[in-house]
Amino acid sequence: ANHTYNHPNLIELEQKDPMQVRREITQCTTAIRNAAGTPPVYFRAPFGAFPPESIQIAAQDGMSIMRWTASFDSLFGFQRASEEQAVQVPTEAMQHFVDALQSGDIILIHDHLRSAVNLEAFMNLAEKKGFSFALPGHELSSEALAKATPRLGDPNND
């Protein structure tokens, strides 16, 4: 997935330098193509900030837009300082997060240590509530991807 080259807020960047939005996306696509030998399939704007031009650029490059409806980072108060700490989420907070989920939600989970430490507990609680999981591209996730808009947590969180 393309997440831009330098991770800027694209809405803010578009206001300052609209051409830089295109450069951020195309430079990342080039880097992924060079490293992986194939272009990215998805585009997820940092912070969920999708100016219209970014959606057009992604579509022109054959990428699907990746949004989310719930952010796992909300369990950590969106504190970047704790990303690589083994922070254990209290069961009550985790249960509250799971109880707020709805069928078809797309959950943003960053690959940080704190996420890894809590992922099994989250998945167990969600599965007990009857949820199952599918990766992007799976037939069950296609409809959810098309309608996803941030709902849980801070929509400006990356």
Side-chain angles (χ1 to χ4, degrees):
N2 182 320
H3 195 48
T4 71
Y5 196 77
N6 292 300
H7 203 265
N9 180 314
L10 294 179
I11 290 176
E12 293 174 4
L13 185 61
E14 182 180 48
Q15 293 169 356
K16 295 175 189 172
D17 183 0
M19 290 305 297
Q20 187 62 24
V21 171
R22 178 173 294 279
R23 287 190 291 271
E24 281 289 332
I25 297 169
T26 57
Q27 189 174 7
C28 183
T29 293
T30 299
I32 291 170
R33 186 181 293 118
N34 289 344
T38 184
V41 181
Y42 298 105
F43 173 69
R44 182 170 67 85
F47 313 103
F50 286 92
E53 182 182 3
S54 70
I55 295 170
Q56 292 170 348
I57 294 165
Q60 289 168 355
D61 286 349
M63 292 181 278
S64 296
I65 300 300
M66 177 65 69
R67 298 182 189 262
W68 68 93
T69 54
S71 175
F72 202 69
D73 284 348
S74 66
L75 292 166
F76 309 101
F78 302 104
Q79 297 173 2
R80 291 193 183 272
S82 68
E83 289 174 349
E84 294 307 322
Q85 296 176 0
V87 176
Q88 189 71 45
V89 174
T91 303
E92 184 177 296
M94 186 75 73
Q95 187 66 58
H96 179 73
F97 182 80
V98 170
D99 288 344
L101 294 175
Q102 298 174 11
S103 180
D105 273 344
I106 297 172
I107 304 165
L108 173 68
I109 302 175
H110 285 95
D111 57 345
H112 300 294
L113 177 60
R114 67 181 184 193
S115 297
V117 166
N118 293 281
L119 193 58
E120 185 174 356
F122 162 68
M123 292 181 79
N124 287 337
L125 286 173
E127 287 172 344
K128 282 181 186 174
K129 193 169 178 189
F131 289 107
S132 58
F133 299 91
L135 293 172
H138 187 278
E139 64 183 60
L140 297 176
S141 66
S142 297
E143 183 179 330
L145 266 176
K147 66 180 181 177
T149 55
R151 184 177 53 74
L152 296 175
D154 181 353
N156 292 317
N157 180 47
D158 175 40

